[in-house]
Amino acid sequence: MEDKTYNIGVEATLEVIGGKWKTIILCHLRGGKRRTSELKRAIPKITQKMLTQQLRELEADGIISRHIYEQVPPKVDYQLTEYGESLSTILNKLCVWGEKHVDRLNEQDQHVVLMNRDKVS
């Protein structure tokens, strides 16, 4: 196995949570367990295939856990692991910064819509 090299720590962070969807998924999981269908509704622009892929990658990295209920039809939910919870402070700050950025853009008459304000911050 080849050694990995990072120039700065944020590279290692972004390898795990980078990309368009992972951080958004993690923000939705800060509030507790969510079923796949709840995540899909909360992130309407993500495809089912992409949601499944991102959830699998986050699970493989130990950031989230998947719980499968033995019932028909099967029920699956996801939640942050203890390791994943360690990202909460970072995620909270990203959400707050984004809200302030949207407010700033609106103050500049750019008419940006923010559908939901963060409830966890």
Side-chain angles (χ1 to χ4, degrees):
M1 179 181 265
E2 187 177 323
D3 291 343
K4 285 190 178 186
T5 303
Y6 301 107
N7 289 314
I8 58 174
V10 74
E11 288 179 69
T13 304
L14 290 176
E15 185 173 311
V16 176
I17 67 167
K20 183 174 182 177
W21 301 112
K22 286 182 181 177
T23 307
I24 297 168
I25 292 167
L26 293 172
C27 283
H28 285 292
L29 291 175
R30 287 176 305 151
K33 292 180 184 179
R34 291 281 187 108
R35 294 181 67 178
T36 309
S37 58
E38 292 175 301
L39 289 168
K40 180 69 177 92
R41 277 193 301 276
I43 313 167
K45 292 185 179 183
I46 193 171
T47 65
Q48 185 63 48
K49 179 182 176 184
M50 182 58 68
L51 177 59
T52 301
Q53 177 185 332
Q54 300 295 279
L55 289 168
R56 285 182 183 153
E57 289 176 13
L58 289 166
E59 184 181 12
D61 286 328
I63 304 299
I64 64 171
S65 62
R66 175 177 55 165
H67 184 253
I68 302 169
Y69 297 86
E70 297 297 327
Q71 66 182 50
V72 177
K75 176 183 170 184
V76 178
D77 63 34
Y78 295 88
Q79 68 182 37
L80 292 175
T81 61
E82 186 176 330
Y83 185 53
E85 289 282 351
S86 69
L87 289 166
S88 288
T89 302
I90 296 166
L91 297 169
N92 292 348
K93 290 184 181 208
L94 285 170
C95 288
V96 169
W97 188 91
E99 290 173 4
K100 289 179 181 177
H101 180 65
V102 167
D103 293 342
R104 182 174 181 262
L105 294 174
N106 281 318
E107 288 168 5
Q108 298 171 350
D109 293 325
Q110 293 192 35
H111 306 289
V112 178
V113 175
L114 179 61
M115 299 295 290
N116 297 291
R117 294 238 169 216
D118 192 45
K119 295 174 183 78
V120 182
S121 58

